[in-house]
Amino acid sequence: MNGGYAGDIEALGHNADGRLDAFGLAPAPGGQIAFHNSQVAPNSGWSGWTSLGSPPHNDVLSHLEVASNADGRLEVFVRYGAMSVGEMWHAWQSAPNGSWGGWVDLGVGVGHVTSGPIVLVPNADGRLELFAIGNPEGIVHAWQTAPNGGWSNEASLGSPSGVFVTSPAVGRNVDGRLAVFASGSDGAVWQIAQTAANNGWSSWSSLGKPSTDSLSGGSVVGTNADGRLEVFASGTSGVWHAWQNSPGGAWSSWENLGFPSVGGGTSGLAIGRNLDGRLELFATVFEGEVWHIWQTAPNSGWAGWSSLGGEPYARLWVASNQDGRLEVFVQGRSAGTPPTATGVWHRWQMTPGGIWS
């Protein structure tokens, strides 16, 4: 997908008309510039990479994320600044599917975001909410004060007592309540959820860890066809998952899905949902291939791992086309030592839930 683009991919969004839009960061003199590449039509080919520029002074950019406003306009956020010094900036479409404005300082006090990723999700009422790791507050968040509107100041959700949390992931319960999941320094996955849709927050609670393993990698969360959330995380002996026993209810114990290939841990996880409601999990293996595993029926058990090939650098992303076909994006990997990223590549289902390109 590069077409002369020298950067990587950071986030995927959906335009109001159903076209996928990929966002990334590329080197520029003195810093980095944000770019995007959108489908020319829903379920179709790609237009090519276009610059979105950068905040003033062209400093270091990181932790880019995108989400859709209630009116369908995409809005992009990026951390701007090096090391512990930085601010959150954002840019947005002037109209659904339209052109982009310049970068604006979010001005909500989340400039001390320390590690990725940042996560953007809509509340039940359509207001976007941003989550990130702050130091020393733990999980910090800010939210739109009205759908499509301005932003609140930063607030802290803290962290569990005596536990440092990283790599937030966010799901939405069937009743609309957001739930934040984070990997803990104790090897467990922790959760904090809204007490009511669009409302305040509970205290932190632990989903525990497997009795024979610690969950060291970042977690991802998917939503089953019946509304039950399901969380996936990597350990030293495989990829593990736990799920709500009923929509919005209590959680199961951890179950091992195994490793995608012999001898390998994973360097990235991503979750998608097929058109028929079956969850599908994708993983990159250290200096290996892209693998996937899927539910055999909606809300049900899992098949074995299968390879999609390729030589991914590390992370991967998955999104659904307008017609329900999943599409996977990765950064390629050079053959050198150490390996480096060598461009953006993608594969897609030929039909919804079907074989892959």
Side-chain angles (χ1 to χ4, degrees):
M1 284 183 63
N2 268 41
Y5 172 64
D8 58 18
I9 184 172
E10 293 275 340
L12 292 168
H14 288 88
N15 279 283
D17 59 7
R19 292 177 300 118
L20 292 179
D21 214 333
F23 296 82
L25 298 173
Q32 292 165 299
I33 291 178
F35 285 80
H36 77 123
N37 188 350
S38 57
Q39 289 179 320
V40 295
N43 316 308
S44 185
W46 294 80
S47 61
W49 294 94
T50 302
S51 174
L52 291 174
S54 70
H57 313 305
N58 195 24
D59 205 339
V60 175
L61 305 180
S62 61
H63 308 336
L64 185 151
E65 187 57 285
V66 62
S68 296
N69 278 281
D71 61 6
R73 291 177 304 112
L74 291 178
E75 191 159 347
V76 174
F77 294 74
V78 68
R79 184 182 182 274
Y80 171 58
M83 303 299 288
S84 60
V85 179
E87 302 170 344
M88 294 301 302
W89 287 65
H90 61 146
W92 54 89
Q93 289 176 323
S94 57
N97 314 309
S99 60
W100 289 81
W103 291 92
V104 176
D105 188 345
L106 190 60
V108 298
V110 292
H112 58 283
V113 171
T114 58
S115 60
I118 63 172
V119 183
L120 278 165
V121 291
N123 276 278
D125 60 6
R127 292 177 302 110
L128 295 182
E129 191 152 351
L130 179 151
F131 301 86
I133 299 293
N135 185 19
E137 295 91 344
I139 301 289
V140 294
H141 66 137
W143 54 92
Q144 287 179 324
T145 56
N148 315 307
W151 286 78
S152 72
N153 288 322
E154 173 205 297
S156 175
L157 293 175
S159 59
S161 178
V163 176
F164 179 73
V165 291
T166 61
S167 302
V170 183
R172 188 160 60 206
N173 283 284
V174 70
D175 60 6
R177 292 178 303 115
L178 296 182
V180 178
F181 302 86
S183 300
S185 57
D186 59 350
V189 172
W190 288 78
Q191 174 195 214
I192 188 169
Q194 289 177 325
T195 55
N198 315 308
N199 210 325
W201 292 82
S202 66
S203 300
W204 285 95
S205 61
S206 178
L207 299 186
K209 62 181 182 179
S211 59
T212 59
D213 205 348
S214 290
L215 303 175
S216 56
S219 58
V220 296
V221 58
T223 305
N224 279 280
D226 59 8
R228 293 177 303 114
L229 297 181
E230 192 156 348
V231 174
F232 304 82
S234 292
T236 58
S237 61
V239 177
W240 296 81
H241 66 136
W243 55 90
Q244 291 175 327
N245 292 312
S246 60
W251 286 81
S252 72
S253 57
W254 290 94
E255 182 178 280
N256 196 341
L257 291 172
F259 272 134
S261 64
V262 176
T266 62
S267 56
L269 296 175
I271 189 74
R273 194 167 85 180
N274 282 282
L275 185 63
D276 61 4
R278 293 177 302 114
L279 293 180
E280 191 157 344
L281 181 71
F282 300 82
T284 52
V285 175
F286 292 118
E287 297 191 10
E289 301 175 340
V290 176
W291 291 73
H292 63 143
I293 189 172
W294 54 90
Q295 289 178 323
T296 56
N299 316 309
S300 187
W302 292 77
W305 289 96
S306 178
S307 175
L308 286 174
E311 295 188 19
Y313 178 62
R315 297 173 60 190
L316 76 164
W317 296 259
V318 61
S320 295
N321 280 278
Q322 189 186 55
D323 59 8
R325 292 176 304 111
L326 296 180
E327 192 157 347
V328 176
F329 303 78
V330 299
Q331 294 171 243
R333 186 185 76 233
S334 72
T337 303
T340 57
T342 60
V344 180
W345 296 76
H346 63 137
R347 288 187 73 171
W348 54 91
Q349 291 175 330
M350 303 294 287
T351 58
I355 62 172
W356 287 79
S357 68

